[in-house]
Amino acid sequence: MYQEAKQKLRGSIAPIVTPFDKEMNVDYDALKSLIEWHIESGSHGISVTGTTGEPSSLTIQEREQVMETAIKTAAGRVPVVPGTGSTNHAEALHLTKRAQEMGADAAMVIVPYYNKPNQQALYNHFKIIADSVDIPVIIYNIPGRTATNLEVKTLARLSEDCKNIIGVKESNKDFEHINRVLLNCGRDFLLYSGIELLCYPMLAIGGAGHVSATANIAPKEVADIYNLWAAGDVEAAIDLHYKLMPLNDVLFKDTNPGPLKAAMGMMGKINPALRLPMGPPSDALQEEIRQTLVGYGMLTEKVGAE
């Protein structure tokens, strides 16, 4: 069962934003349109309610409805891997069980943020969640957001003790740590990059793909990094890696998904609203984003200039 999942859950799993309308309600029609665009553009999978999807700004009911909308819209055409983690153990447990009930292909569970659990507590948290479901579980390690790093030895224990923990999304700038994940968890453990500038390098050491926020505005290109690598066209994959670097850089000059939503608003994809406490980028950064999009041919000079 999990071997099949390990083959299917590869490539660019796009972490889609949660669009809001002008009344700050979740815009489910816009979400459906984004998912259709991603499938048409070649994204290999869809993830919702991860960091880019502002899960901390959503109610539990909204998170469930976003997950269900994504699963129903994708309708089996690509895998759907919703983010089901929380700083609250009971919420994470509930959402992961609901993801299974809805038909998700896997659940992505973040290291709890803010409360800074120790390594044994992290082990207990993830083991209870993994044992509660049969679907694959991908752990999400992002120490810059959570203030806690899931150590390799803890991850290795979890992968050994829970057969449905099949991978990890590493948003970890420590590339030595990332190398040791595959050394200690096994080369068939699914390793995804959650850092844009490491999407290609992780493939080079045996990674399974990436969960890159940039896919929200360049889904084909982000997917093609994986496609080119998988086809053995290493030079073209490296060229695309460097071509996307200025775009990646500008999208992370403020906290994600602020710059990303601004860019998507300029492109006419969504209303670029964020719920408080998040807020839009400065006017200066928005202009830099606009000029970057123009440079990539994603925008004309006139569009988004108002």
Side-chain angles (χ1 to χ4, degrees), residues 60 63-64 67 83-101 107-110 112 124-133 135 137:
I60 296 297
R63 288 185 67 172
E64 290 187 39
M67 285 162 42
T84 60
S86 170
T87 192
N88 181 295
H89 175 75
E91 285 181 5
L93 191 61
H94 169 78
L95 287 167
T96 306
K97 289 178 179 178
R98 289 290 291 127
Q100 173 168 287
E101 291 167 5
M108 190 172 293
V109 187
I110 194 169
N124 296 340
H125 171 73
F126 284 116
K127 188 172 191 307
I128 290 170
I129 291 172
D131 286 349
S132 75
V133 293
I135 58 172
V137 171

Side-chain angles (χ1 to χ4, degrees), residues 90-220:
E91 285 181 5
L93 191 61
H94 169 78
L95 287 167
T96 306
K97 289 178 179 178
R98 289 290 291 127
Q100 173 168 287
E101 291 167 5
M102 292 174 189
D105 294 274
M108 190 172 293
V109 187
I110 194 169
V111 169
Y113 35 94
Y114 181 73
N115 41 27
K116 298 179 70 174
N118 64 34
Q119 294 300 306
Q120 183 59 45
L122 286 173
Y123 173 88
N124 296 340
H125 171 73
F126 284 116
K127 188 172 191 307
I128 290 170
I129 291 172
D131 286 349
S132 75
V133 293
D134 295 322
I135 58 172
V137 171
I138 297 165
I139 292 176
Y140 179 14
N141 189 31
I142 179 168
R145 290 263 193 171
T146 65
T148 304
N149 184 43
L150 181 68
E151 294 177 4
V152 172
K153 63 182 180 182
T154 308
L155 183 59
R157 283 180 65 201
L158 286 163
S159 68
E160 178 66 28
D161 296 346
C162 307
K163 296 307 177 186
N164 60 332
I165 294 182
I166 64 168
V168 64
K169 174 187 174 183
E170 282 284 357
S171 295
N172 193 327
K173 293 184 177 180
D174 183 350
F175 205 61
E176 289 187 18
H177 167 104
I178 290 165
N179 277 268
R180 296 187 190 282
V181 167
L182 293 183
L183 177 67
N184 287 272
C185 296
R187 297 275 291 278
D188 67 337
F189 195 68
L190 300 182
L191 172 66
Y192 304 93
S193 175
I195 294 181
E196 279 58 32
L197 267 60
L198 295 183
C199 289
Y200 172 78
M202 279 207 202
L203 293 174
I205 63 166
H210 31 264
V211 187
S212 166
T214 303
N216 280 275
I217 60 173
K220 180 182 184 302

